[in-house]
């Protein structure tokens, strides 16, 4: 097993938590694209969106995708829209196996409300549930191109073992 695992899916679907568990389970390194961008820009994601703009952030995502595609044995937790860009999806997709974590809009809202991480400017609105539903609908077709992993009502351990099994079978 030398290739990467790439986790995609909407914000709050558990990519980071599951990714960390999976990396530990497989002895792979864990990488979070949002953290890489925050480090290289020396700014939080909301600050990047507010000062440099979303387009700049998306360009950073593409640079990171290209760089990470050169590595192996990495579990890569990608920002919720990174893999919906065709070029990013091709380059990272060819470096490993992609899994798309899925949860209901209500579950997503519950999870993002329980976190103190200030990294989701797109959901910083008075009606976040409506925004989540709207964005999921917009992105649904893009997410569906990847293997779906339903995370609703499942523990991190169960999800990790399920993905590990699928990855092992696929490689
Ligand atoms: C985004 C998802 C966020 C982060 C940024 C934009 C998106 O990452 O990249 O706020 O457009 O879906 P997570 O999916 O890890 O929350």
């Amino acid at each position: 097993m030398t290739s990467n695992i790439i986790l995609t899916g909407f914000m709050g679907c558990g990519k980071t938590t599951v990714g960390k568990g999976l990396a530990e389970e497989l002895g792979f390194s864990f990488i979070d694209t949002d953290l890489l961008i925050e480090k290289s820009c020396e700014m939080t994601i909301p600050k990047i969106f507010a000062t440099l703009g979303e387009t700049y952030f998306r360009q950073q995502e593409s640079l990171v995708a290209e760089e990470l595609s050169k590595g192996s044995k990495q579990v890569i937790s990608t920002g919720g829209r990174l893999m919906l860009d065709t070029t990013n999806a091709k380059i990272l997709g060819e470096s490993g196996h992609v899994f798309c974590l899925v949860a209901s809009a209500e579950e997503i809202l519950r999870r993002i409300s329980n976190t103190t991480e200030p990294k989701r400017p797109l959901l910083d609105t008075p009606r976040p549930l409506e925004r989540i539903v709207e964005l999921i609908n917009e992105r649904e077709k893009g997410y569906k191109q990847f293997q779906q992993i339903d995370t609703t009502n499942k523990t991190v351990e169960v999800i990790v073992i399920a993905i590990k099994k699928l990855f092992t079978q696929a490689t």
Side-chain angles (χ1 to χ4, degrees):
M1 287 193 285
T2 52
S3 62
N4 297 317
I5 292 185
I6 298 102
L7 298 181
T8 183
F10 198 77
M11 295 169 260
C13 279
K15 289 166 293 186
T16 302
T17 322
V18 169
K20 283 182 182 162
L22 200 52
E24 200 175 308
E25 183 70 28
L26 291 165
F28 281 21
S29 45
F30 172 73
I31 290 155
D32 183 314
T33 60
D34 288 333
L35 282 183
L36 284 184
I37 295 170
E38 288 188 326
K39 270 193 198 143
S40 77
C41 295
E42 296 180 343
M43 245 183 245
T44 63
I45 288 171
K47 191 102 198 274
I48 299 172
F49 271 66
T51 59
L52 303 168
E54 182 174 350
T55 306
Y56 180 86
F57 176 75
R58 300 302 176 196
Q59 286 163 354
Q60 296 305 302
E61 288 194 311
S62 296
L63 293 177
V64 163
E66 193 179 348
E67 196 52 38
L68 292 176
S69 69
K70 298 173 191 155
S72 66
K73 290 195 163 190
Q74 312 169 99
V75 176
I76 306 168
S77 164
T78 60
R81 199 181 160 279
L82 186 147
M83 290 296 282
L84 300 182
D85 173 275
T86 332
T87 311
N88 296 345
K90 184 168 179 351
I91 194 163
L92 263 190
E94 282 173 1
S95 82
H97 199 95
V98 187
F99 297 97
C100 178
L101 304 191
V102 182
S104 67
E106 291 74 17
E107 176 74 15
I108 288 169
L109 180 61
R110 199 177 59 73
R111 290 184 194 163
I112 62 163
S113 309
N114 279 344
T115 176
T116 50
E117 285 172 89
K119 62 168 218 170
R120 290 165 179 136
L122 296 180
L123 301 182
D124 192 9
T125 114
R127 293 174 173 271
L129 185 61
E130 280 86 339
R131 185 72 184 126
I132 291 169
V133 172
E134 196 177 80
L135 279 174
I136 289 180
N137 287 339
E138 262 174 50
R139 296 178 175 188
E140 200 174 15
K141 202 166 156 233
Y143 287 137
K144 284 246 165 82
Q145 66 187 301
F146 306 112
Q147 185 161 11
Q148 308 279 293
I149 308 286
D150 189 6
T151 66
T152 312
N153 296 327
K154 289 192 187 133
T155 63
V156 174
E157 292 73 21
V158 166
I159 303 164
V160 164
I161 297 304
I163 298 179
K164 183 185 174 189
K165 196 170 162 202
L166 291 168
F167 178 66
T168 312
Q169 284 165 356
T171 50

